[in-house]
Amino acid sequence: MGERNEEVIATCASRALGNLQDSSRWGAALDTLVATCHDGQTNEQVIAVCRQLADAETTADWNAGTERDLPHWQRLLALIDKLASLPRPVRRLLVPLYEGLIECLQSQDTMKPSVIKLQLAMTDWSNTDGAVASLNTVIAMVDGQPYLLDYAYHQVARVVNDSKGYWKPEGLLELVDRLNAQPQLASSYIGLSLLKIAGKALLWNEASADRLRAYRNHEHEIIRMMALNLWTVVE
């Protein structure tokens, strides 16, 4: 598919996705739009329709209505989910797209879960410094907010597990140490998510078990409780 053709197709798909009056074609349009963005040539169209959906006003008929309910919100979340779930090699090419989408959405508090999802989607787990920086962006959003913190915990686990082959468990342990050395509760909380994956990959060797023991003596009760429910061997 030529670059120009991709742009034309993406423009048409974006128009259909953003047409909230039409409830029948948006699913196919969404799939088409995502298919055109794999090489990063249609970022502009994707960001534009994302902004359009994010800024759409909720009408009375489409707010817990009998036939339609928040169509703009449902389409936006579906778009973000598909983009964040692309294969790792594709996601590496789409960092500028993810950054543009985050810039578009980050001013809206209710979009924080989507911003977290996009931030983690472009994280390189094999680059410790880069991963710490990326996670610190997430930690700043979720610290002190239990729902978002729990969401981030599980999202980190999902993304890292889906990226197997692109990181080493020893590298994840280094990430755990870096996060646990930071003062925020959220840092240790997210670190425990990574420790669970690294420990399993390392068959809970002494290095990973040592870190689990340290978590079980953590200053924060919630961290101790979670660590006590993570086991190296099931009885």
Side-chain angles (χ1 to χ4, degrees):
M1 188 184 298
E3 179 178 325
R4 177 58 181 165
N5 287 340
E6 284 186 341
E7 292 177 359
V8 171
I9 292 171
T11 299
C12 293
S14 296
R15 190 177 299 122
L17 182 59
N19 181 6
L20 299 179
Q21 300 298 328
D22 186 346
S23 62
S24 62
R25 296 191 302 159
W26 76 271
L30 173 62
D31 291 338
T32 300
L33 180 62
V34 173
T36 66
C37 78
H38 285 200
D39 58 3
Q41 298 297 324
T42 60
N43 291 358
E44 184 178 329
Q45 290 91 333
V46 177
I47 293 171
V49 73
C50 174
R51 181 176 292 108
Q52 178 187 345
L53 293 171
D55 292 343
E57 293 187 8
T58 302
T59 65
D61 290 343
W62 292 350
N63 187 1
T66 56
E67 296 184 4
R68 307 284 299 280
D69 189 18
L70 304 179
H72 60 292
W73 183 260
Q74 293 189 47
R75 296 182 190 195
L76 177 58
L77 295 186
L79 173 60
I80 299 300
D81 187 59
K82 280 189 175 289
L83 291 173
S85 301
L86 289 168
R88 174 61 186 151
V90 177
R91 298 203 309 268
R92 294 189 68 175
L93 296 174
L94 295 182
V95 169
L97 172 60
Y98 295 136
E99 290 175 339
L101 292 171
I102 288 172
E103 183 179 355
C104 170
L105 301 173
Q106 63 186 356
S107 63
Q108 301 189 30
D109 288 342
T110 52
M111 291 307 304
K112 282 183 177 179
S114 292
V115 171
I116 291 169
K117 185 176 288 188
L118 290 166
Q119 184 67 45
L120 295 176
M122 64 178 181
T123 301
D124 182 357
W125 302 102
S126 65
N127 178 349
T128 302
D129 288 341
V132 169
S134 183
L135 287 171
N136 279 338
T137 299
V138 172
I139 287 164
M141 285 189 283
V142 306
D143 200 38
Q145 302 195 50
Y147 167 76
L148 286 176
L149 181 53
D150 188 63
Y151 176 84
Y153 176 95
H154 289 98
Q155 190 65 23
V156 166
R158 188 189 71 79
V159 174
V160 175
N161 276 318
D162 287 347
S163 300
K164 284 180 179 176
Y166 295 97
W167 48 262
K168 294 181 179 179
E170 296 83 2
L172 294 186
L173 287 185
E174 184 180 349
L175 261 179
V176 170
D177 291 343
R178 295 274 295 273
L179 292 176
N180 209 21
Q182 297 182 163
Q184 308 97 318
L185 181 149
S187 296
S188 296
Y189 198 101
I190 298 299
L192 192 55
S193 180
L194 293 167
L195 178 58
K196 184 176 181 179
I197 297 170
K200 184 177 180 180
L202 292 167
L203 303 178
W204 287 106
N205 64 1
E206 193 61 23
S208 53
D210 277 346
R211 287 160 175 82
L212 180 56
R213 295 184 194 106
Y215 265 106
R216 290 175 177 176
N217 289 303
H218 199 276
E219 62 178 311
H220 291 291
E221 180 183 8
I222 183 62
I223 302 296
R224 296 196 302 272
M225 290 170 58
M226 292 181 67
L228 287 168
N229 287 320
L230 176 57
W231 308 316
T232 59
V233 181
V234 177
E235 189 61 35

